[in-house]
Amino acid sequence: MFIIGELINGMYKNVREAIAKKDESVIMNLAKEQENSGASALDVNCGPLSKVPVEDMKWLVLTIQKASKLPLAIDSTKPEVIRQALEITKNKAIINSTSADEERLEIYVDMALKYNASLIALTMDKKGVPQDKDARLELAAGIVAFAQAKNFDINNLYLDPIVLPVNVAQPQLKLLLEVLHEFKIISEPAPKTIVGLSNVSQGTCQRSIINRVFLTMAAAHGLDAAIADPLDKDLMDAVITAELLLNKNIYCDSFLTAYRKK
Amino acid sequence: MFIIGELINGMYKNVREAIAKKDESVIMNLAKEQENSGASALDVNCGPLSKVPVEDMKWLVLTIQKASKLPLAIDSTKPEVIRQALEITKNKAIINSTSADEERLEIYVDMALKYNASLIALTMDKKGVPQDKDARLELAAGIVAFAQAKNFDINNLYLDPIVLPVNVAQPQLKLLLEVLHEFKIISEPAPKTIVGLSNVSQGTCQRSIINRVFLTMAAAHGLDAAIADPLDKDLMDAVITAELLLNKNIYCDSFLTAYRKK
């Protein structure tokens, strides 16, 4: 499982304050801690409150790159923020994210091609998040077709079916698990699948167990990647065990430590 | 998830000793503890070392029935042990188990009909446990066809794909998850699916996490029932959370306690 560490995000107070004070050590430590806990990549988001998002995002990227060589998921709703961050990203880059709207796909697929970045695409459009499986699948097929037409390598495309919180959209989650399979048969090679995991437990009182049980079930349905908290040891242990049971790593008695990516 | 508590089994020393001393309190406590921890039924097995299995099994059944009204899974390889136990079982009964061999099906389907019992059927035969999905499916289809021909209610049939330990048959587990879906489309109404969970972690150093991650993944693949240890609180919490995410119980903040069967 490709875990993108979610902790460098300006919605968290420690990150917001580090950005304000240009305190590199906080950000570098967050990068290192997540890498040491098994993250395969790091999300980078300056947060919705940033007044100068281009400047803040560039500072975050430069700071993280002093501490880690992991791929960076440049996370913003603003194309210009992402573009300017990609200009200075030396690590492998992931664009987080485009929607299925054609005008956004046009911008982001071109950008991903130009900067040799992977691309996360949400199966939603201007009308919002679809309520059923078929509508998500239709948007997914549209995204893949668009990317193929641009000769974008589908191996570098991550489809995100959009996980909603269990306490507000409970019936959707079973459909999401099913749609993870169906995304894989849209094309050959198949697109990768990703979820923004923590959203599933937003607003609940039992966040950690909800996160890890949902991630385990999604792993059983072929999920490739998740944006999640790699410092949640129980979560990472569950992922490692799921991958063992799915025969992705060979069994050994010490598998929990042996397969923690370092 | 229908959890059949596995702890009343003569392969455990405390049970073996209780049988030898006819110490009812040990057995009654095991029955109550498992029921209070969320078991939906109780497995009853006098163990492979019993010299007088009919007598031991009957004593276990009579003793458990003093403590619990849960269904009893009468667990033996000997038809006569099961038959005599069913004679005195007042709780709902489950026969554990038949294989796919026709001569065993003949005995056990008739017995299940006579005693109004459910029936667990292992998808294995004299040749052993099949190594691939198709062979398991073929045996499953044969079991269902046999039961249908006898007018046995398929709602009361539990197909067990036979879980093997991850440290000896690791590649099989992913196939088992897939076959759980396929068992469900053999007939209408569909047979139920069951696993002997603890087998997956037999001989490993991390039994609890392997058990609960595999059960979570199997739940995500529609598993109906498991023979497992209901006193493993982490396991039961994982099952309850999985069922919540699969929309089987309505979300509430206290779901972990609210949906613990008591």
Side-chain angles (χ1 to χ4, degrees):
Chain A
M1 180 84 65
F2 191 81
I3 298 288
I4 304 178
E6 70 187 1
L7 297 180
I8 302 178
N9 189 314
M11 77 178 176
Y12 299 118
K13 196 173 168 219
N14 60 334
V15 173
R16 204 159 56 238
E17 289 177 355
I19 294 172
K21 296 180 198 161
K22 297 287 180 281
D23 182 346
E24 292 189 336
S25 65
V26 169
I27 303 302
M28 289 168 69
N29 281 339
L30 278 171
K32 277 186 253 176
E33 272 188 303
Q34 293 185 89
E35 179 166 359
N36 291 339
S37 300
S40 303
L42 301 172
D43 198 65
V44 192
N45 185 321
C46 59
L49 299 177
S50 171
K51 297 281 197 293
V52 283
V54 168
E55 183 186 311
D56 288 348
M57 180 65 96
K58 286 169 74 175
W59 178 78
L60 283 173
V61 167
L62 293 172
T63 305
I64 295 166
Q65 288 182 154
K66 292 179 186 178
S68 174
K69 296 208 178 310
L70 287 184
L72 302 184
I74 309 298
D75 183 0
S76 172
T77 54
K78 301 184 180 73
E80 188 57 16
V81 173
I82 294 183
R83 197 190 64 72
Q84 293 213 33
L86 291 174
E87 275 287 337
I88 56 157
T89 301
K90 289 181 189 153
N91 297 8
K92 191 167 166 19
I94 303 160
I95 294 173
N96 184 12
S97 57
T98 180
S99 66
D101 295 304
E102 202 152 313
E103 61 272 26
R104 293 188 80 83
L105 283 169
E106 186 73 43
I107 294 168
Y108 286 116
V109 172
D110 285 350
M111 206 184 278
L113 286 167
K114 178 172 176 190
Y115 294 97
N116 194 27
S118 295
L119 177 60
I120 296 172
L122 310 176
T123 56
M124 63 177 290
D125 60 13
K126 279 179 214 152
K127 287 175 275 175
V129 178
Q131 294 305 300
D132 66 9
K133 229 168 58 169
D134 286 349
R136 280 185 164 91
L137 202 57
E138 201 175 309
L139 292 176
I143 292 164
V144 170
F146 191 100
Q148 284 174 325
K150 293 263 189 184
N151 284 320
F152 182 77
D153 181 356
I154 301 302
N155 286 305
N156 296 329
L157 178 66
Y158 289 84
L159 294 179
D160 181 338
I162 307 185
V163 172
L164 297 169
V166 63
N167 61 353
V168 299
Q170 191 180 348
Q172 296 257 318
L173 298 171
K174 189 169 189 289
L175 304 181
L176 284 186
L177 294 175
E178 293 166 8
V179 93
L180 290 174
H181 283 291
E182 294 170 21
F183 282 179
K184 292 302 238 182
I185 51 177
I186 290 175
S187 64
E188 173 60 39
K192 293 197 166 64
T193 51
I194 190 167
V195 295
L197 180 66
S198 301
N199 217 25
V200 72
S201 64
Q202 193 76 45
T204 72
C205 301
Q206 301 282 353
R207 297 206 61 173
S208 181
I209 191 170
I210 291 175
N211 289 344
R212 76 175 165 271
V213 168
F214 188 71
L215 189 57
T216 301
M217 296 202 295
H221 283 270
L223 183 72
D224 295 300
I227 304 173
D229 176 5
L231 303 194
D232 181 341
K233 183 173 180 300
D234 289 337
L235 179 74
M236 298 303 280
D237 282 350
V239 167
I240 291 166
T241 306
E243 300 218 303
L244 183 86
L245 293 167
L246 294 168
N247 206 32
K248 293 190 176 175
N249 291 310
I250 293 172
Y251 177 83
C252 63
D253 282 345
S254 59
F255 69 91
L256 283 178
T257 48
Y259 295 118
R260 194 170 295 275
K261 294 181 194 80
K262 276 185 187 166
Chain B
M1 181 83 68
F2 190 81
I3 298 288
I4 303 178
E6 70 185 2
L7 298 180
I8 302 178
N9 190 314
M11 77 178 177
Y12 300 120
K13 194 171 168 222
N14 60 334
V15 173
R16 203 158 56 237
E17 290 177 354
I19 294 172
K21 296 181 198 159
K22 297 288 178 282
D23 182 346
E24 293 190 335
S25 64
V26 169
I27 303 302
M28 289 170 69
N29 282 339
L30 278 171
K32 277 186 252 176
E33 272 188 303
Q34 293 186 90
E35 178 166 359
N36 291 338
S37 300
S40 304
L42 301 172
D43 198 64
V44 192
N45 185 321
C46 60
L49 300 177
S50 171
K51 296 278 195 298
V52 284
V54 168
E55 183 187 312
D56 289 347
M57 180 67 95
K58 286 169 74 174
W59 179 79
L60 283 173
V61 167
L62 292 172
T63 305
I64 295 167
Q65 287 182 156
K66 292 180 185 177
S68 174
K69 297 211 177 307
L70 288 183
L72 302 185
I74 309 297
D75 184 0
S76 173
T77 54
K78 302 184 180 71
E80 188 56 16
V81 174
I82 294 183
R83 196 190 63 73
Q84 294 214 33
L86 291 175
E87 276 287 337
I88 55 155
T89 301
K90 289 181 189 154
N91 297 8
K92 194 170 164 14
I94 303 159
I95 294 172
N96 185 13
S97 56
T98 181
S99 66
D101 295 303
E102 202 151 314
E103 61 273 26
R104 292 187 81 81
L105 283 169
E106 185 73 41
I107 294 168
Y108 285 116
V109 172
D110 286 349
M111 206 184 279
L113 285 166
K114 177 173 177 191
Y115 293 98
N116 194 27
S118 296
L119 177 61
I120 297 172
L122 310 175
T123 56
M124 64 178 288
D125 61 11
K126 280 180 214 151
K127 287 175 277 176
V129 178
Q131 295 304 301
D132 66 10
K133 230 169 55 172
D134 286 350
R136 279 184 166 92
L137 202 55
E138 202 175 308
L139 292 176
I143 292 164
V144 170
F146 191 98
Q148 283 174 325
K150 292 264 190 184
N151 284 319
F152 182 77
D153 182 355
I154 302 302
N155 286 306
N156 296 329
L157 178 67
Y158 289 84
L159 294 179
D160 181 336
I162 307 184
V163 172
L164 298 170
V166 63
N167 62 353
V168 299
Q170 193 180 348
Q172 297 256 317
L173 298 171
K174 188 170 190 290
L175 303 181
L176 285 186
L177 294 176
E178 292 166 10
V179 94
L180 290 175
H181 284 291
E182 294 170 22
F183 282 178
K184 292 301 237 183
I185 51 178
I186 289 175
S187 64
E188 173 60 38
K192 293 198 165 62
T193 51
I194 190 167
V195 295
L197 180 65
S198 302
N199 217 26
V200 73
S201 64
Q202 192 75 47
T204 71
C205 300
Q206 301 282 351
R207 298 206 62 173
S208 182
I209 191 170
I210 291 174
N211 288 345
R212 76 175 166 271
V213 167
F214 188 71
L215 189 57
T216 302
M217 296 202 294
H221 283 270
L223 183 72
D224 295 300
I227 304 173
D229 177 5
L231 304 193
D232 181 341
K233 184 174 180 297
D234 290 338
L235 179 74
M236 297 304 280
D237 282 351
V239 167
I240 292 166
T241 307
E243 300 219 304
L244 184 86
L245 294 167
L246 294 169
N247 206 32
K248 293 190 178 177
N249 290 310
I250 294 172
Y251 177 83
C252 63
D253 281 346
S254 59
F255 70 90
L256 282 179
T257 49
Y259 294 118
R260 193 170 295 275
K261 294 182 193 79
K262 276 184 184 164

